[in-house]
Amino acid sequence: MSIGKLTSTQLSSTLVLSPVPLSMNLITSFLLSYPLAGVLKRLPDAKQYKKNLFIIAVSIFYLVGLFDLWSGVRTLLISSAGAYLIASYVQGPLMPWIGFVFLMGHMSANQLNRQFWNAPGKIDITGRPSTSSVQLVSKYVPGAQMVLVMKLSAFCWNVHDGRLPSKDLVQFQRERALLQLPALLDFTGYVLFFPSLFAGPSFDYIDYRSWIETSMFEVPSGTDQSSRPKTWKQRKIPRSGRPAARKAAMGLVWIFLYLKFSSWYNTETVLSDSFSTYGVFRRVWILQMLGFSTRLKYYGVWYLTEGACILSGMGYKGIDPKTGRIQWNRLQNVNPWGIETAQNTRAYLENWNMNTNNWLRNYVYLRVTPKGRKPGFRASLATFVTSAFWHGFYPGYYLSFLLAAFLQTVAKNFRRHIRPFFLTPDGQRPTTNKTYYDILSYLTTQLAFCFTTAPFVLLNLNDSLLVWSRVYFYAVFGTAISMAVFASPVKPYLIQKLRERNEPADEKDAMMNAKRSAEGTRSTNKVKPDAFGENHPIIGLPGDPGADVDEAVRGIKEEVEVIRGRRRIVEEPTADMMAAVVGKKIS
């Protein structure tokens, strides 16, 4: 009997808060991936077909043997076969967009089916895993399909780039361009790579090819012998048991913490009538811990899957030139320390779901932008919509995305116009009061995000608004007040005060730059670059919504002026025509 058909007493509680719920059979597949990845690593490097066949067999065992997901096999087959056929037979610049629309449309249909047919929002916490095929597919396949959409849409772009002249590509595109379609066996191995089948991490086909051909592990000439990776016998893949074991151990710690904390802080807690009887500070604390316990699940899942990838060798990222040590973070998907200590929104989001960030930036945001132009409102809007649809259609997702976009703007304004007052005029060193700013920004960031992400956990619109109301919409009001302040004369006043404060340092920088310019050297600015200098979206959120809206308004005005100009050309008479009319009138 498959694990998917065990009784409720044989499985731990499943919290259905995301497309990939945490349950015993899913954890079993993650842990099984470690010994199986060890076997995969030991298959002969020259026998690539054996590695592909082994990967395919293990993934089918997971889907059919562990979960009884024949419908899931069909779902993944439709997506992968459709993407491969589109890449093979569709020519021209629209090919990757056709593939993208097909993949997103197929996934969206499944997500809508999950949302309206099974309504998991009504059974957020359950100790009874479903045994019906449809419900199992709705629980486990969306996570695998979300990963597959990233991999296959990137694959279509890589094939498209391989058909273009190299001079028309940027460095990133040249490195990943596929000059010819891979064989079906190689492609299937890439699609069904079992260590990352259900929860990621995602990676490009060029990474898979360099791994299976072992070109990924080639050491640059001139590398010191002591720094070369240690391998077993004639195998080219370096030893990776220790870093994989560390990831696995830490992943299990995160899972254990999740099981403990989620029993204390869960959706039932914040939706219960007793929650509203607590004091406001206790309610905010419980909301904060709900977000923390939810993140623990993702930390555990992503650590376990990354560890299996490391054990197979896929996580190899070369040798660090500074330390001489092997880096195994090629597929790192989360940085828990960076999230839990983040002092601003960008630091928080950049450390979360890193591979999705990379996909959105490289295969949506930059691809929408016409060649030779900087990304603007259209690129930000396309990325935002893609990220939202990729996650699903629950109202809670869109509440979180919308509020987080405004948080980005508020955080940017504070960092640009308030933070410099806590630095020395040259921007190099903190003042004695900088510690107070750091503490306040940390607390504000963490409290704002625990409020913002609550709908992402609750999914349902009514439940989300209910919980927000029970903490008096504090993040909504705080964001609105902050935006109103920076839209008032306060902002020009702060800019003027900052300019007066930094004027001596600015003059000194100008003199230094003039001196460097006279010496023929490149001018540099001593002031540290703004951490928000890059406006590309994080998790699909606009880097600067205000600037994007302004850019959109300017674009609309330019289009209107162009249209008006064309009308003038058609309607306004020429000088000869006017002279003829005047002459006629005079005669």
Side-chain angles (χ1 to χ4, degrees):
M1 182 173 63
S2 68
I3 292 179
K5 295 182 179 179
L6 296 178
T7 63
S8 60
T9 58
Q10 294 171 296
L11 289 172
S12 63
S13 296
T14 301
L15 183 61
V16 186
L17 300 176
S18 72
V20 182
L22 184 62
S23 61
M24 200 60 193
N25 40 2
L26 193 63
I27 296 298
T28 299
S29 70
F30 293 155
L31 296 178
L32 272 177
S33 293
Y34 280 81
L36 293 173
V39 174
L40 174 63
K41 183 179 181 179
R42 284 161 176 77
L43 293 177
D45 292 335
K47 305 292 185 181
Q48 298 175 14
Y49 74 94
K50 290 186 177 181
K51 292 187 176 184
N52 282 320
L53 291 174
F54 183 79
I55 290 169
I56 295 168
V58 171
S59 290
I60 292 177
F61 166 70
Y62 284 173
L63 291 166
V64 178
L66 288 183
F67 298 99
D68 197 21
L69 288 176
W70 289 101
S71 298
V73 174
R74 183 182 66 240
T75 297
L76 301 183
L77 177 63
I78 292 172
S79 288
S80 54
Y84 192 85
L85 290 173
I86 290 171
S88 300
Y89 294 105
V90 178
Q91 302 294 323
L94 292 180
M95 183 274 286
W97 292 115
I98 294 173
F100 175 80
V101 170
F102 164 74
L103 293 166
M104 288 291 291
H106 184 213
M107 182 180 67
S108 296
N110 287 336
Q111 287 174 329
L112 289 170
N113 174 69
R114 171 178 177 261
Q115 180 173 344
F116 294 108
W117 181 264
N118 298 282
K122 297 180 181 178
I123 49 170
D124 285 328
I125 299 175
T126 175
R128 301 185 300 276
S130 171
T131 57
S132 81
S133 175
V134 173
Q135 290 175 323
L136 280 173
V137 171
S138 73
K139 285 184 179 182
Y140 298 106
V141 172
Q145 194 174 13
M146 290 170 74
V147 174
L148 201 57
V149 165
M150 291 191 288
K151 293 171 72 171
L152 294 178
S153 61
F155 173 80
C156 289
W157 276 111
N158 298 151
V159 172
H160 171 71
D161 292 340
R163 295 170 180 171
L164 298 177
S166 179
K167 62 182 178 61
D168 293 341
L169 306 175
V170 299
Q171 183 65 26
F172 176 86
Q173 296 167 351
R174 281 193 293 269
E175 291 173 351
R176 288 160 175 75
L178 299 177
L179 302 181
Q180 60 182 12
L181 280 173
L184 273 175
L185 186 61
D186 292 335
F187 177 77
T188 307
Y190 166 66
V191 168
L192 296 179
F193 189 70
F194 66 84
S196 63
L197 179 64
F198 288 111
S202 171
F203 50 89
D204 291 344
Y205 179 80
I206 195 68
D207 296 318
Y208 182 78
R209 188 176 70 183
S210 63
W211 168 78
I212 202 167
E213 294 176 351
T214 67
S215 59
M216 175 187 293
F217 312 104
E218 294 177 357
V219 180
S221 57
T223 303
D224 186 69
Q225 189 65 33
S226 61
S227 300
R228 291 178 176 271
K230 295 181 180 179
T231 60
W232 181 259
K233 297 182 178 180
Q234 300 300 316
R235 193 172 62 225
K236 294 183 180 180
I237 302 178
R239 298 179 182 180
S240 56
R242 288 184 180 179
R246 286 194 293 268
K247 283 288 181 180
M250 198 63 228
L252 291 174
V253 169
W254 292 126
I255 295 296
F256 173 77
L257 292 175
Y258 161 72
L259 294 174
K260 296 297 293 183
F261 276 86
S262 63
S263 64
W264 302 326
Y265 307 101
N266 49 59
T267 55
E268 284 187 344
T269 304
V270 296
L271 292 173
S272 65
D273 294 335
S274 60
F275 179 71
S276 59
T277 64
Y278 301 147
V280 63
F281 292 109
R282 184 177 179 183
R283 276 176 272 165
V284 172
W285 168 256
I286 292 174
L287 195 62
Q288 172 71 27
M289 296 310 295
L290 172 64
F292 176 68
S293 64
T294 303
R295 292 194 298 274
L296 288 173
K297 177 180 68 170
Y298 289 96
Y299 294 163
V301 168
W302 285 336
Y303 263 60
L304 288 176
T305 55
E306 184 189 353
C309 291
I310 290 173
L311 190 59
S312 71
M314 182 63 78
Y316 180 80
K317 199 181 178 180
I319 301 173
D320 189 336
K322 295 182 179 179
T323 63
R325 296 181 178 179
I326 299 177
Q327 301 177 97
W328 290 101
N329 61 341
R330 175 185 291 269
L331 301 181
Q332 182 180 3
N333 207 32
V334 69
N335 177 11
W337 178 255
I339 293 170
E340 303 303 331
T341 61
Q343 297 179 17
N344 56 69
T345 58
R346 194 171 189 89
Y348 193 103
L349 295 172
E350 279 184 333
N351 290 291
W352 175 263
N353 210 351
M354 298 175 178
N355 290 289
T356 301
N357 276 329
N358 294 333
W359 172 67
L360 289 170
R361 180 178 64 251
N362 295 317
Y363 295 108
V364 181
Y365 182 69
L366 296 177
R367 300 291 181 162
V368 173
T369 306
K371 185 179 179 181
R373 298 183 61 182
K374 292 183 178 180
F377 174 74
R378 294 177 183 177
S380 296
L381 180 62
T383 309
F384 179 86
V385 172
T386 298
S387 181
F389 282 9
W390 181 78
H391 281 89
F393 297 94
Y394 288 101
Y397 293 156
Y398 295 87
L399 282 179
S400 294
F401 271 109
L402 187 61
L403 182 56
F406 287 106
L407 283 178
Q408 284 271 67
T409 300
V410 171
K412 187 188 295 289
N413 281 325
F414 271 94
R415 190 169 182 86
R416 285 179 175 175
H417 306 301
I418 302 296
R419 184 175 180 271
F421 287 101
F422 296 89
L423 301 173
T424 55
D426 61 0
Q428 293 291 301
R429 298 177 303 280
T431 63
T432 55
N433 295 324
K434 177 64 162 50
T435 302
Y436 300 111
Y437 174 86
D438 291 341
I439 293 173
L440 185 60
S441 61
Y442 167 76
L443 292 175
T444 302
T445 298
Q446 297 297 326
L447 290 175
F449 266 100
C450 81
F451 179 94
T452 303
T453 56
F456 218 90
V457 178
L458 297 164
L459 301 179
N460 183 277
L461 178 62
N462 292 333
D463 291 346
S464 300
L465 294 177
L466 174 64
V467 172
W468 274 7
S469 68
R470 287 178 171 179
V471 290
Y472 306 113
F473 295 95
Y474 70 83
V476 175
F477 287 119
T479 302
I481 293 171
S482 299
M483 294 191 70
V485 168
F486 283 108
S488 71
V490 172
K491 183 175 179 178
Y493 174 79
L494 291 173
I495 294 173
Q496 178 63 28
K497 285 296 182 182
L498 190 61
R499 185 180 293 115
E500 294 173 358
R501 176 179 181 269
N502 296 344
E503 189 172 5
D506 292 340
E507 292 177 355
K508 183 179 178 181
D509 286 342
M511 293 175 62
M512 292 291 292
N513 288 336
K515 183 178 179 181
R516 293 191 187 98
S517 179
E519 293 173 353
T521 59
R522 182 179 179 181
S523 173
T524 58
N525 191 344
K526 288 177 66 178
V527 181
K528 292 181 180 180
D530 190 348
F532 291 89
E534 296 182 18
N535 286 328
H536 66 265
I538 305 295
I539 313 287
L541 299 176
D544 190 347
D548 288 339
V549 172
D550 292 340
E551 189 268 341
V553 172
R554 286 195 301 270
I556 293 172
K557 288 182 177 179
E558 290 174 0
E559 293 291 340
V560 171
E561 290 300 323
V562 170
I563 293 173
R564 286 178 177 175
R566 289 173 181 169
R567 287 178 178 174
R568 291 193 189 102
I569 292 173
V570 174
E571 296 173 358
E572 292 182 2
T574 63
D576 293 338
M577 291 171 61
M578 293 178 66
V581 172
V582 172
K584 184 178 180 180
K585 291 291 185 182
I586 293 175
S587 63

